């Protein structure tokens, strides 16, 4: 997933509602792990949750990204 982030981003420019590509992009960015990657993952997670509010997996991904930012330890 992390190595394919560029491909997912290109696919999403043409098909913004492509659920699997956005989901995999968020996961890939989180695996890369840099602060900039995390920021991008959060932007994509917020966008996906707004574009597809009826897709539970997108709401879940937003929660995962937010949890990584503010772990509840």
């Amino acid at each position: 997933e992390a190595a394919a982030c560029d491909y997912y981003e290109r696919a999403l420019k043409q098909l913004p509602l492509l659920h699997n590509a956005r989901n995999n992009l968020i996961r890939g960015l989180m695996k890369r792990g840099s602060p900039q990657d995390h920021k991008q993952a959060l932007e994509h997670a917020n966008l996906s949750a707004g574009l597809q509010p009826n897709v539970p997996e997108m709401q879940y991904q937003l929660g995962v990204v937010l949890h990584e930012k503010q772990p509840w330890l």
Side-chain angles (χ1 to χ4, degrees):
E1 292 171 341
C5 286
D6 292 337
Y7 296 105
Y8 294 134
E9 288 175 337
R10 279 192 259 159
L12 289 167
K13 285 181 182 176
Q14 293 186 16
L15 298 167
L17 294 179
L18 192 58
H19 166 73
N20 288 333
R22 191 168 307 279
N23 194 26
N24 289 337
L25 175 60
I26 293 166
R27 289 179 186 183
L29 290 167
M30 294 301 291
K31 282 185 181 180
R32 280 200 228 172
S34 77
Q36 181 61 30
D37 290 328
H38 190 273
K39 181 180 176 185
Q40 274 189 286
L42 181 57
E43 290 170 2
H44 279 284
N46 275 317
L47 177 63
S48 66
L51 287 174
Q52 298 176 307
N54 297 327
V55 179
E57 192 169 1
M58 294 315 206
Q59 306 302 321
Y60 172 79
Q61 282 291 23
L62 177 57
V64 168
V65 174
L66 289 171
H67 183 270
E68 290 293 320
K69 185 177 181 182
Q70 295 288 333
W72 302 99
L73 299 178

